[in-house]
Amino acid sequence: MSTLVTAFCAFLLLCNSNTGAFSVLSSKNHSRRLNLSLLKASSGKGFGAPKANQTPKKEKQRNEKNKKKKAPSTNKPYVKSETDAWLAELQEQANQSILGQAVQGTDDPFWQLIPSLLKSKFSVNDKELVRIAGFLRHAVNPDLPKLEEPLDPFRPVHQLHAYMPGLGPGQPFYEPSQVALCQQLTKHYDTIVQEYHALLEDSADRFQSVTSMNYESGWKTLVLFYNGHRIPNFPYHLCPTTTRLLETVPLAGRIAGFNRQQPNSGIPNHTDGNNMWLTAQMGIELAPESAWIQVADQKRYYEKGKCLLYDTTYRHETFNAHETQERVVLHVDFFNTITMTPIEIKMMQYIYTLREEFMKAEGVAKVGAQIL
């Protein structure tokens, strides 16, 4: 990983403080404070600084007067060696935690720094971090066995690329009533349909194929959120209710938007590699009893205004059997709010955000599913 990325990690350690400076307890129980003035230009040479010999005489006199009256500052000036020592101390503290132990042995600087970044941003005890530590352990050792659940031929856990142990037994479909979002989508179905058509009438054709599999299978998406983030310059004013409802759940690192499936086409059988996410889909436009999804060995038909909630780590496939009518659903991937705690979700969102930014810093043009 580049030096720039590692330096960014150090900067984030500073930014994770709620104040303008950090206070870190050293082994001698003395407090060391590092002022964030290290970000400012030195010697008055930053943007907007006056040119040499151009300071007005009265201003000079006023400055001299203020210098005499001003009490001496208790802030230490930025010293690189001191900052390095402080960062090393913080990382050593994190290394002793359950998170630090989880990444021991890795030579990837990103994962080496994650325990320090998490510990500096979130104030939680090790008991709350057990499953996060398990995720980190599997992230740095992807070949570790995932044997906490009985083997299921429809759920190839060895293919998971992002795995959190301890989430309990999975199931292909969940009851939509378990997630408030599904109830709210159904309640506002008519408004969401109107907003979908408002987006269609917009001059820009915003549908795209998210993966090559989607493209080859007649599936295109009007993406509203990508990797959990809003899209720059997107006309959210045309779909305010849809946007507001989607943002009531912790959006995951994939997509949320409207999916169109062409007539007489479908997505082939496959599995996705993240056991921390769930997918909800609500029927928007489709012919009755024509479009279905099968997850594991269970088949469900899409209906207008009704949600299906399922786990994509199980093998699944879709098909629209109608000859002329396309199938449109509102699709959203989000963190599993049924089995994960709020603090676990916040920490995973933070990790995903960091990973995305670091990959961009290293020149990865399209992040997508490559994040984790």
Side-chain angles (χ1 to χ4, degrees), residues 171-219:
Q171 58 190 76
F173 284 98
Y174 289 82
E175 288 299 320
S177 60
Q178 292 180 265
V179 175
L181 171 69
C182 293
Q183 302 170 55
Q184 289 299 310
L185 292 179
T186 296
K187 179 180 178 180
H188 294 88
Y189 166 71
D190 291 334
T191 300
I192 293 171
V193 171
Q194 293 173 7
E195 294 181 351
Y196 169 66
H197 282 282
L199 290 170
L200 289 182
E201 293 168 5
D202 188 42
S203 58
D205 181 4
R206 302 180 186 277
F207 280 92
Q208 58 181 294
S209 292
V210 181
T211 69
S212 59
M213 179 179 66
N214 293 161
Y215 178 79
E216 295 166 358
S217 304
W219 179 313

Side-chain angles (χ1 to χ4, degrees), residues 252-303:
R254 286 192 292 205
I255 62 167
F258 294 98
N259 288 341
R260 302 170 84 172
Q261 182 73 58
Q262 294 178 3
N264 200 30
S265 69
I267 297 290
N269 188 287
H270 69 286
T271 182
D272 298 331
N274 193 314
N275 78 324
M276 294 171 284
W277 297 346
L278 291 177
T279 295
Q281 292 182 329
M282 181 177 73
I284 300 297
E285 292 185 347
L286 50 91
E289 297 293 320
S290 63
W292 51 261
I293 180 171
Q294 180 167 319
V295 184
D297 56 351
Q298 302 177 29
K299 180 185 286 189
R300 306 277 176 90
Y301 281 87
Y302 292 103
E303 297 181 55

Side-chain angles (χ1 to χ4, degrees), residues 23-32 85-86 88-90 92-93:
S23 180
V24 179
L25 192 64
S26 70
S27 58
K28 296 182 180 180
N29 294 324
H30 291 297
S31 178
R32 181 190 301 121
W86 172 75
E89 180 180 344
L90 185 60
E92 180 59 29
Q93 292 175 3

Side-chain angles (χ1 to χ4, degrees), residues 229-254:
H229 311 304
R230 287 196 179 199
I231 300 171
N233 302 318
F234 188 90
Y236 290 103
H237 64 282
L238 297 177
C239 52
T241 298
T242 306
T243 301
R244 175 177 58 82
L245 293 177
L246 293 179
E247 289 183 326
T248 62
V249 293
L251 298 172
R254 286 192 292 205

Side-chain angles (χ1 to χ4, degrees), residues 61-203:
Q61 293 173 346
R62 186 165 55 250
N63 289 341
E64 290 296 329
K65 199 173 184 180
N66 289 337
K67 283 181 182 179
K68 293 178 182 179
K69 292 182 178 180
K70 190 175 181 181
S73 174
T74 58
N75 287 332
K76 290 185 178 182
Y78 165 66
V79 180
K80 184 178 185 299
S81 59
E82 182 177 343
T83 306
D84 291 343
W86 172 75
L87 292 173
E89 180 180 344
L90 185 60
Q91 186 161 351
E92 180 59 29
Q93 292 175 3
N95 287 343
Q96 303 305 314
S97 71
I98 188 174
L99 299 180
Q101 295 169 11
V103 300
Q104 282 184 356
T106 183
D107 57 359
D108 187 328
F110 175 81
W111 295 113
Q112 288 174 346
L113 285 164
I114 282 297
S116 299
L117 291 169
L118 291 177
K119 293 292 283 186
S120 67
K121 185 173 180 66
F122 301 95
S123 178
V124 294
N125 57 53
D126 279 359
K127 186 177 181 180
E128 298 175 278
L129 296 173
V130 171
R131 296 197 296 201
I132 295 291
F135 161 78
L136 294 177
R137 193 173 296 111
H138 282 273
V140 300
N141 300 286
D143 294 329
L144 285 178
K146 308 174 181 68
L147 299 178
E148 66 177 72
E149 300 177 25
L151 294 179
D152 188 327
F154 294 106
R155 197 186 194 200
V157 293
H158 63 280
Q159 294 183 13
L160 295 175
H161 58 75
Y163 176 73
M164 178 176 285
L167 294 182
Q171 58 190 76
F173 284 98
Y174 289 82
E175 288 299 320
S177 60
Q178 292 180 265
V179 175
L181 171 69
C182 293
Q183 302 170 55
Q184 289 299 310
L185 292 179
T186 296
K187 179 180 178 180
H188 294 88
Y189 166 71
D190 291 334
T191 300
I192 293 171
V193 171
Q194 293 173 7
E195 294 181 351
Y196 169 66
H197 282 282
L199 290 170
L200 289 182
E201 293 168 5
D202 188 42
S203 58

